[in-house]
Short mmCIF file of all heavy atoms in Angstrom, two decimals:
data_model
loop_
_atom_site.label_atom_id
_atom_site.label_comp_id
_atom_site.label_asym_id
_atom_site.label_seq_id
_atom_site.Cartn_x
_atom_site.Cartn_y
_atom_site.Cartn_z
N ALA A 37 10.94 -54.49 126.33
CA ALA A 37 11.93 -54.03 125.33
C ALA A 37 12.54 -55.23 124.60
O ALA A 37 12.63 -55.18 123.35
CB ALA A 37 13.08 -53.22 125.92
N LYS A 38 12.83 -56.30 125.32
CA LYS A 38 13.37 -57.51 124.64
C LYS A 38 12.32 -58.16 123.71
O LYS A 38 12.61 -58.56 122.64
CB LYS A 38 13.72 -58.54 125.70
CG LYS A 38 15.10 -58.24 126.49
CD LYS A 38 15.40 -59.34 127.42
CE LYS A 38 16.72 -59.00 128.21
NZ LYS A 38 17.04 -60.06 129.13
N ASP A 39 11.01 -58.16 124.16
CA ASP A 39 9.96 -58.64 123.34
C ASP A 39 9.93 -57.76 122.04
O ASP A 39 9.72 -58.28 120.88
CB ASP A 39 8.65 -58.65 124.02
CG ASP A 39 8.50 -59.77 125.07
OD1 ASP A 39 9.36 -60.61 125.03
OD2 ASP A 39 7.63 -59.64 125.98
N TYR A 40 9.85 -56.41 122.20
CA TYR A 40 9.70 -55.47 121.13
C TYR A 40 10.88 -55.74 120.11
O TYR A 40 10.66 -55.64 118.86
CB TYR A 40 9.71 -54.05 121.59
CG TYR A 40 9.66 -53.01 120.46
CD1 TYR A 40 8.49 -52.75 119.87
CD2 TYR A 40 10.80 -52.33 120.14
CE1 TYR A 40 8.42 -51.83 118.83
CE2 TYR A 40 10.81 -51.41 119.10
CZ TYR A 40 9.56 -51.13 118.50
OH TYR A 40 9.54 -50.26 117.44
N LEU A 41 12.09 -55.94 120.57
CA LEU A 41 13.24 -56.18 119.76
C LEU A 41 13.31 -57.60 119.20
O LEU A 41 14.19 -57.90 118.50
CB LEU A 41 14.50 -55.81 120.52
CG LEU A 41 14.62 -54.38 120.97
CD1 LEU A 41 15.75 -54.16 121.92
CD2 LEU A 41 14.85 -53.45 119.73
N GLN A 42 12.31 -58.41 119.52
CA GLN A 42 12.22 -59.81 119.04
C GLN A 42 13.60 -60.50 119.28
O GLN A 42 14.04 -61.23 118.34
CB GLN A 42 11.88 -59.81 117.57
CG GLN A 42 10.53 -59.08 117.34
CD GLN A 42 10.16 -59.06 115.84
OE1 GLN A 42 10.99 -59.28 114.90
NE2 GLN A 42 9.00 -58.63 115.53
N GLY A 43 14.13 -60.33 120.37
CA GLY A 43 15.34 -61.15 120.77
C GLY A 43 16.64 -60.54 120.31
O GLY A 43 17.72 -61.11 120.51
N ASN A 44 16.61 -59.40 119.61
CA ASN A 44 17.79 -58.86 118.98
C ASN A 44 18.41 -57.79 119.90
O ASN A 44 19.04 -56.88 119.41
CB ASN A 44 17.40 -58.21 117.63
CG ASN A 44 16.99 -59.23 116.65
OD1 ASN A 44 17.74 -60.28 116.51
ND2 ASN A 44 15.91 -59.04 115.88
N TYR A 45 18.12 -57.88 121.20
CA TYR A 45 18.62 -56.86 122.13
C TYR A 45 20.23 -56.81 122.20
O TYR A 45 20.83 -55.75 122.54
CB TYR A 45 18.00 -56.95 123.46
CG TYR A 45 18.33 -58.28 124.22
CD1 TYR A 45 19.39 -58.36 125.11
CD2 TYR A 45 17.57 -59.45 123.95
CE1 TYR A 45 19.65 -59.58 125.71
CE2 TYR A 45 17.89 -60.63 124.56
CZ TYR A 45 18.88 -60.64 125.50
OH TYR A 45 19.19 -61.88 126.14
N ILE A 46 20.93 -57.93 121.93
CA ILE A 46 22.31 -57.85 122.02
C ILE A 46 22.89 -57.03 120.87
O ILE A 46 23.83 -56.27 121.08
CB ILE A 46 22.83 -59.46 121.82
CG1 ILE A 46 22.37 -60.24 122.96
CG2 ILE A 46 24.44 -59.39 121.74
CD1 ILE A 46 22.98 -59.97 124.31
N GLU A 47 22.27 -57.17 119.72
CA GLU A 47 22.70 -56.30 118.55
C GLU A 47 22.52 -54.79 118.90
O GLU A 47 23.29 -53.95 118.62
CB GLU A 47 22.01 -56.69 117.35
CG GLU A 47 22.54 -57.95 116.67
CD GLU A 47 22.03 -59.23 117.39
OE1 GLU A 47 20.96 -59.08 118.22
OE2 GLU A 47 22.61 -60.29 117.30
N VAL A 48 21.36 -54.48 119.55
CA VAL A 48 21.03 -53.14 119.94
C VAL A 48 22.10 -52.66 120.95
O VAL A 48 22.54 -51.48 120.86
CB VAL A 48 19.59 -53.00 120.41
CG1 VAL A 48 19.30 -51.56 121.01
CG2 VAL A 48 18.65 -53.35 119.32
N ALA A 49 22.39 -53.49 121.95
CA ALA A 49 23.36 -53.16 122.94
C ALA A 49 24.69 -52.85 122.29
O ALA A 49 25.41 -51.91 122.77
CB ALA A 49 23.43 -54.21 124.00
N LYS A 50 25.04 -53.71 121.37
CA LYS A 50 26.42 -53.43 120.62
C LYS A 50 26.38 -52.05 119.98
O LYS A 50 27.44 -51.45 120.00
CB LYS A 50 26.67 -54.54 119.66
CG LYS A 50 26.96 -55.88 120.23
CD LYS A 50 27.18 -56.94 119.16
CE LYS A 50 27.48 -58.28 119.64
NZ LYS A 50 27.61 -59.27 118.56
N ALA A 51 25.27 -51.72 119.38
CA ALA A 51 25.22 -50.46 118.68
C ALA A 51 25.23 -49.27 119.60
O ALA A 51 25.90 -48.32 119.48
CB ALA A 51 23.97 -50.36 117.75
N MET A 52 24.58 -49.46 120.89
CA MET A 52 24.57 -48.41 121.87
C MET A 52 26.05 -48.30 122.37
O MET A 52 26.37 -47.07 122.54
CB MET A 52 23.64 -48.80 123.02
CG MET A 52 22.18 -48.85 122.54
SD MET A 52 21.16 -49.66 123.82
CE MET A 52 21.17 -48.45 125.15
N ILE A 53 26.79 -49.39 122.63
CA ILE A 53 28.07 -49.24 123.18
C ILE A 53 28.98 -48.62 122.19
O ILE A 53 29.82 -47.75 122.45
CB ILE A 53 28.55 -50.61 123.60
CG1 ILE A 53 27.75 -51.14 124.86
CG2 ILE A 53 30.11 -50.63 123.87
CD1 ILE A 53 27.93 -52.58 125.22
N SER A 54 28.85 -49.02 120.89
CA SER A 54 29.72 -48.49 119.87
C SER A 54 29.49 -46.95 119.72
O SER A 54 30.41 -46.20 119.60
CB SER A 54 29.44 -49.13 118.54
OG SER A 54 30.16 -48.59 117.45
N ALA A 55 28.20 -46.48 119.70
CA ALA A 55 27.89 -45.04 119.55
C ALA A 55 28.52 -44.31 120.87
O ALA A 55 29.08 -43.22 120.67
CB ALA A 55 26.45 -44.90 119.53
N GLY A 56 28.35 -44.86 122.00
CA GLY A 56 28.98 -44.26 123.24
C GLY A 56 30.45 -44.15 123.22
O GLY A 56 31.02 -43.13 123.63
N MET A 57 31.12 -45.14 122.67
CA MET A 57 32.58 -45.14 122.54
C MET A 57 33.01 -44.06 121.59
O MET A 57 34.01 -43.46 121.74
CB MET A 57 33.11 -46.50 122.26
CG MET A 57 32.89 -47.43 123.40
SD MET A 57 33.57 -49.08 123.13
CE MET A 57 35.30 -48.88 123.26
N GLN A 58 32.23 -44.00 120.40
CA GLN A 58 32.57 -42.97 119.44
C GLN A 58 32.39 -41.63 120.02
O GLN A 58 33.29 -40.70 119.76
CB GLN A 58 31.76 -43.14 118.22
CG GLN A 58 32.08 -44.38 117.39
CD GLN A 58 31.17 -44.50 116.16
OE1 GLN A 58 30.23 -43.81 115.99
NE2 GLN A 58 31.42 -45.50 115.38
N MET A 59 31.36 -41.35 120.66
CA MET A 59 31.16 -40.06 121.31
C MET A 59 32.18 -39.64 122.36
O MET A 59 32.71 -38.61 122.48
CB MET A 59 29.72 -40.07 121.95
CG MET A 59 29.41 -38.69 122.71
SD MET A 59 29.48 -37.27 121.59
CE MET A 59 27.94 -37.41 120.87
N ALA A 60 32.60 -40.67 123.21
CA ALA A 60 33.65 -40.52 124.18
C ALA A 60 34.92 -40.11 123.48
O ALA A 60 35.67 -39.24 123.93
CB ALA A 60 33.82 -41.73 125.05
N GLY A 61 35.32 -40.83 122.42
CA GLY A 61 36.41 -40.46 121.62
C GLY A 61 36.40 -39.10 121.04
O GLY A 61 37.39 -38.39 121.14
N GLN A 62 35.29 -38.68 120.55
CA GLN A 62 35.15 -37.34 120.02
C GLN A 62 35.38 -36.26 121.13
O GLN A 62 36.04 -35.24 120.89
CB GLN A 62 33.76 -37.17 119.34
CG GLN A 62 33.67 -37.82 118.04
CD GLN A 62 32.26 -37.73 117.50
OE1 GLN A 62 31.35 -37.16 118.03
NE2 GLN A 62 31.97 -38.42 116.41
N MET A 63 34.77 -36.57 122.25
CA MET A 63 34.79 -35.58 123.38
C MET A 63 36.28 -35.44 123.85
O MET A 63 36.71 -34.46 124.24
CB MET A 63 33.96 -36.07 124.57
CG MET A 63 32.54 -35.88 124.16
SD MET A 63 31.34 -36.68 125.39
CE MET A 63 31.83 -35.89 126.92
N MET A 64 37.05 -36.58 123.93
CA MET A 64 38.49 -36.53 124.26
C MET A 64 39.27 -35.77 123.24
O MET A 64 40.22 -35.09 123.61
CB MET A 64 39.00 -37.99 124.40
CG MET A 64 38.44 -38.69 125.61
SD MET A 64 38.87 -40.43 125.80
CE MET A 64 40.70 -40.29 125.95
N ASP A 65 38.92 -35.92 121.88
CA ASP A 65 39.61 -35.17 120.89
C ASP A 65 39.40 -33.70 121.05
O ASP A 65 40.27 -32.87 120.87
CB ASP A 65 39.25 -35.61 119.47
CG ASP A 65 39.78 -37.03 119.16
OD1 ASP A 65 40.71 -37.48 119.80
OD2 ASP A 65 39.29 -37.61 118.13
#
Side-chain angles (χ1 to χ4, degrees):
K38 286 181 178 181
D39 289 344
Y40 178 77
L41 296 169
Q42 300 175 352
N44 295 311
Y45 62 95
I46 299 292
E47 288 76 18
V48 173
K50 287 179 184 179
M52 293 169 68
I53 291 168
S54 177
M57 292 180 75
Q58 287 177 357
M59 178 59 80
Q62 288 174 2
M63 291 170 57
M64 289 175 62
D65 287 345

